[in-house]
Amino acid sequence: MMNQSIATDKPLAVIASSSCSDGYDLARQFAEHGYDIIVAAANPSVVEEAEDFKELKVDAVSYQLDLSSPEGIEQLYRRIVATGRAVEALVINTGLSDNLEQEKILARKVLHDMADRGFGRILFASSGDQKDADRLCESLKHDAEGTGVTLKALSPDEQVVYFLDEEFIEDKKEAAALLH
């Protein structure tokens, strides 16, 4: 496990992925946009590859966890909460497991935390069947309605950069103004 402490003023993104390469690519995009990151994947190389993010001057934590099990999801969520930081972006690679229910559990837990703050983004990135990402996103729309949390399902052809554009920054400023 890489640096276990994330305590900066940068926004925090959590990337949960089925494969290290998918998670690495997603995490790198967030790191390049100034996000501190937590990456979780089953592949042991996730820990080694996360060292690469030091060059981008962001704090990164990586966990090797079985995210297809309820225990793995719970471990990741406890570690997120233990940072004491608000998650601004959660990315779930919908190829994470054969069981979409585990992905939904993680998304719902983080969504409720985001809803309490009135702001956040959850991205379902598809590395396989786009229908899974769409279905997962759709299943949580009711939970997100009126909370300030945005859900988005991206196909393999779409770029995560959309998720990091100026619209996101403006939405965040608007949400912060409403909270004060």
Side-chain angles (χ1 to χ4, degrees), residues 32 65 74 95 117 122 128:
E32 287 173 349
L65 295 170
E74 189 57 35
R117 280 192 345 269
I122 300 177

Side-chain angles (χ1 to χ4, degrees), residues 15 17-28 93 95 126-128:
I15 293 87
S17 184
S18 60
S19 76
C20 199
S21 62
D22 289 339
Y24 180 85
D25 291 342
L26 292 165
R28 182 151 193 94
N93 177 338
S126 174
S127 63

